[in-house]
Amino acid sequence: MRKLFWLLDPFEKPSDAVETGAWVAGLSEKLKIPIQPVHVLSGGALAFSPEIHAAWLMQVALQAETRLRKLVDRLKVPHLLPPVVLSEIYRSRSEAVAALLEFARESDVELFVLQRLSGAKKNAKIGGFAETLLLKSEIPVLVVPRHRRSELTIKPRVPSKLVVGLDLEGDPLPMLDLVFQWAKRLGARVHLFHSALPYPSMGYRATADIFPGDWSGPVAPMTLSSWQADLQARRKRMESFRVRAQKKGVPCTIEIDSASTRAVDGLLRCARARRADWIAVAGKSGKWSALILGSVSRTLAREAPCPVWIVRLESERESEKRSARKLRAA
């Protein structure tokens, strides 16, 4: 049986972890899947130097393990595996994330669940370790907004409405099949959302302005007739995805937004209007595409009012590696 990793900070207040606890409890009950609380003692996060004394690190690790057990016991989330603390003298945050990913692969993990550091849009952030994990993880990540609660009573939450942001410039089928598989397991409905550039064209292909991907460069603005034909083609493709979902036994609706100039704004409005339990999006932003285009997935992780499920596909990771090699060789 596969498992989920619940990333926890043993030094946080128990009330700060209640929201994440509600989601992992719901997933555990619905999917009958084991949940493992995990904390990584990142040297970068704790300002450890490589020369730190091993005995001191051991004391900190023991303290973290004790606090993590107490935190989990106070939250009373059912069906949890014993908590684990990964503790080494990691020279960087990337090294700590790499250790977590290796441990997760050995443990056959299919989802990371972690919490956003702050919930306010003005200063929303998800933390440096989480940012690095989003960029490097081949395992899907669920980022849960923080809502502090005075009571520690956990009421399990299960998503029943998933809003999925789609980029039609690439091949979304691998991500969609994973989403449909999870939706069927959870008994959830799916709403597919795609953002097309409004008319008149901004002078760039949709990939460059809607969802991160390969840089498309400036092109000639579309005529009204060509824009309408493009929109119709996108609608037809979205309809094929809806039919695919229904054949898999998943209720599905579609929406194409041609009014928003930024896809992330339209997607957030859609999620609020639909009262989505989760937003699912392909995490296409790697080191180089994020540098050029910014990151829709990271913006959603910081600002969305509900948990954001970020899926990074193998094809995207290979594309990022090829782009990085080309830039280094240039």
Side-chain angles (χ1 to χ4, degrees):
M1 182 181 292
R2 305 189 73 179
K3 67 175 68 170
L4 274 60
F5 270 6
W6 178 16
L7 301 186
L8 277 170
D9 181 358
F11 301 99
E12 69 182 343
K13 297 178 180 178
S15 58
D16 291 341
V18 171
E19 188 71 14
T20 351
W23 285 109
V24 296
L27 291 174
S28 177
E29 288 190 3
K30 185 70 176 180
L31 304 179
K32 309 303 181 187
I33 191 168
I35 308 288
Q36 180 119 59
V38 177
H39 177 67
V40 182
L41 269 176
S42 171
L46 294 178
F48 286 159
S49 69
E51 295 79 20
I52 186 172
H53 197 278
W56 185 24
L57 177 62
M58 184 178 295
Q59 289 180 1
V60 175
L62 289 174
Q63 183 183 14
E65 290 175 359
T66 301
R67 293 179 68 97
L68 186 58
R69 284 195 299 270
K70 289 182 178 179
L71 174 62
V72 170
D73 290 343
R74 289 196 65 186
L75 291 173
K76 294 186 171 76
V77 175
H79 313 304
L80 292 183
L81 296 173
V84 171
V85 173
L86 301 183
S87 56
E88 296 289 343
I89 305 177
Y90 303 117
R91 292 178 175 83
S92 67
R93 187 177 288 126
S94 293
E95 191 175 302
V97 168
L100 172 63
L101 291 174
E102 183 179 358
F103 179 51
R105 285 189 290 267
E106 293 172 353
S107 304
D108 201 19
V109 171
E110 62 177 323
L111 182 70
F112 288 115
V113 182
L114 58 87
Q115 185 166 261
R116 194 162 71 197
L117 287 185
S118 59
K121 182 176 179 179
K122 182 178 179 181
N123 58 350
K125 55 184 178 178
I126 57 176
F129 186 90
E131 291 265 9
T132 306
L133 181 64
L134 291 181
L135 290 174
K136 293 181 175 294
S137 177
E138 71 277 12
I139 300 169
V141 180
L142 182 69
V143 182
V144 181
R146 169 174 291 185
H147 299 293
R148 293 187 179 183
R149 300 182 182 181
S150 56
E151 296 183 5
L152 297 184
T153 303
I154 297 291
K155 296 180 180 179
R157 302 184 64 180
V158 178
S160 61
K161 291 174 285 186
L162 306 182
V163 167
V164 183
L166 287 180
D167 171 16
L168 300 186
E169 301 302 317
D171 180 15
L173 286 181
M175 175 204 175
L176 280 176
D177 286 342
L178 180 63
V179 170
F180 295 155
Q181 176 188 352
W182 272 71
K184 189 169 184 178
R185 293 166 67 189
L186 295 168
R189 302 190 304 276
V190 171
H191 182 73
L192 303 180
F193 176 91
H194 172 66
S195 184
L197 283 176
Y199 184 81
S201 170
M202 303 299 291
Y204 294 89
R205 285 194 60 186
T207 315
D209 215 25
I210 293 181
F211 282 88
D214 293 333
W215 177 246
S216 300
V219 295
M222 285 185 176
T223 64
L224 177 59
S225 59
S226 62
W227 177 79
Q228 290 174 333
D230 179 75
L231 195 63
Q232 184 63 27
R234 291 169 186 267
R235 193 175 302 280
K236 184 177 180 180
R237 196 171 179 202
M238 291 284 283
E239 178 63 23
S240 71
F241 298 151
R242 186 188 67 79
V243 172
R244 187 183 184 92
Q246 291 185 335
K247 287 182 179 179
K248 294 178 180 292
V250 178
C252 182
T253 53
I254 63 173
E255 177 182 348
I256 295 181
D257 172 29
S258 59
S260 303
T261 56
R262 288 203 321 156
V264 67
D265 296 331
L267 189 52
L268 286 171
R269 281 196 297 271
C270 173
R272 292 188 178 97
R274 294 266 169 180
R275 296 184 178 180
D277 297 308
W278 284 10
I279 298 173
V281 65
K284 298 179 65 175
S285 59
K287 179 178 179 181
W288 303 108
S289 56
L291 176 66
I292 297 172
L293 297 173
S295 170
V296 168
S297 57
R298 286 194 291 172
T299 301
L300 289 171
R302 292 186 182 112
E303 300 182 10
C306 61
V308 178
W309 180 21
I310 299 170
V311 181
R312 297 190 70 240
L313 303 176
E314 183 64 35
S315 59
E316 296 299 336
R317 294 194 299 276
E318 291 303 319
S319 176
E320 288 165 11
K321 290 178 182 177
R322 288 194 299 270
S323 298
R325 287 195 293 267
K326 288 180 181 178
L327 286 172
R328 284 196 296 267

